[in-house]
Amino acid sequence: MLRVITLPACVCLGSPADSSLPAAYAAVVHAVHEIVVTGCENESIAISKMKEKRKQLGKKTVFSEISLEPKSMGVVRYHPTPFVSGHNIMTTPDADGAYPGKALAKAQQFPDGQGLWIQYSVKDVVSGDKLQRHMYCEKYKFNLYCGSLPASYDLRAHMSTTLTP
């Protein structure tokens, strides 16, 4: 049964079949999986793979690494924008005032390789407009490896399970 979350932020467990995803979304899922497979045991390899994938997919696609360790849960370990690194996404609201990062606490119990989608909003630094983004994350040990892109697709309609923060 599908539950619809009325909050602007959404966290959805798993991902729809690749065949049902638009190409940009499928590319992010494949890139995140490749980052996990090649770089999960070596942070410098993971970061260089994130940079490589961003060059391939374009600047609007952002890759990051988020901690799931109990003492640093939600802290962004790597992000291409330097001032974002070190922020805790569990305690920081998005541009709509929601806390989509709070649901990451549930990701601690996920098996390695489990994926989730998060919808959140950001404020454009130039125009001041609020923009919706979708971020796909895959868990490996005490990290989430994530890729985000501008929202252009109704993910909720294709999810089997949603998690509320």
Side-chain angles (χ1 to χ4, degrees):
M1 172 135 179
L2 183 69
R3 286 185 303 184
V4 178
I5 299 174
T6 56
L7 294 171
C10 168
V11 179
C12 301
L13 182 61
S15 65
D18 287 346
S19 60
S20 72
L21 282 171
Y25 283 73
V28 167
V29 170
H30 290 295
V32 168
H33 187 68
E34 191 178 328
I35 290 163
V36 171
V37 169
T38 59
C40 61
E41 295 293 345
N42 184 320
E43 190 169 19
S44 63
I45 291 173
I47 290 170
S48 70
K49 184 58 85 171
M50 287 184 221
K51 290 177 181 176
E52 173 192 320
K53 290 296 173 187
R54 187 167 193 214
K55 280 182 187 165
Q56 286 176 0
L57 299 176
K59 292 251 183 242
K60 289 187 186 261
T61 305
V62 176
F63 294 95
S64 57
E65 179 184 348
I66 300 167
S67 174
L68 290 177
E69 290 183 32
K71 289 183 179 176
S72 58
M73 172 76 75
V75 172
V76 178
R77 288 188 172 161
Y78 168 79
H79 191 281
T81 307
F83 72 82
V84 176
S85 293
H87 272 70
N88 188 322
I89 67 166
M90 290 182 65
T91 59
T92 306
D94 70 3
D96 288 317
Y99 289 84
K102 282 188 174 183
L104 296 181
K106 296 176 183 178
Q108 269 189 316
Q109 286 84 43
F110 288 179
D112 286 348
Q114 173 70 57
L116 74 150
W117 283 97
I118 298 174
Q119 177 177 309
Y120 64 99
S121 61
V122 294
K123 203 170 241 182
D124 185 284
V125 290
V126 178
S127 68
D129 295 341
K130 274 195 272 186
L131 308 170
Q132 293 295 315
R133 291 187 64 85
H134 286 147
M135 180 166 71
Y136 176 74
C137 298
E138 221 170 88
K139 179 189 182 262
Y140 183 77
K141 293 189 179 175
F142 288 104
N143 290 311
L144 282 175
Y145 295 92
C146 305
S148 72
L149 71 165
S152 62
Y153 177 68
D154 184 6
L155 280 170
R156 292 177 189 178
H158 294 269
M159 292 298 166
S160 57
T161 309
T162 56
L163 300 173
T164 51

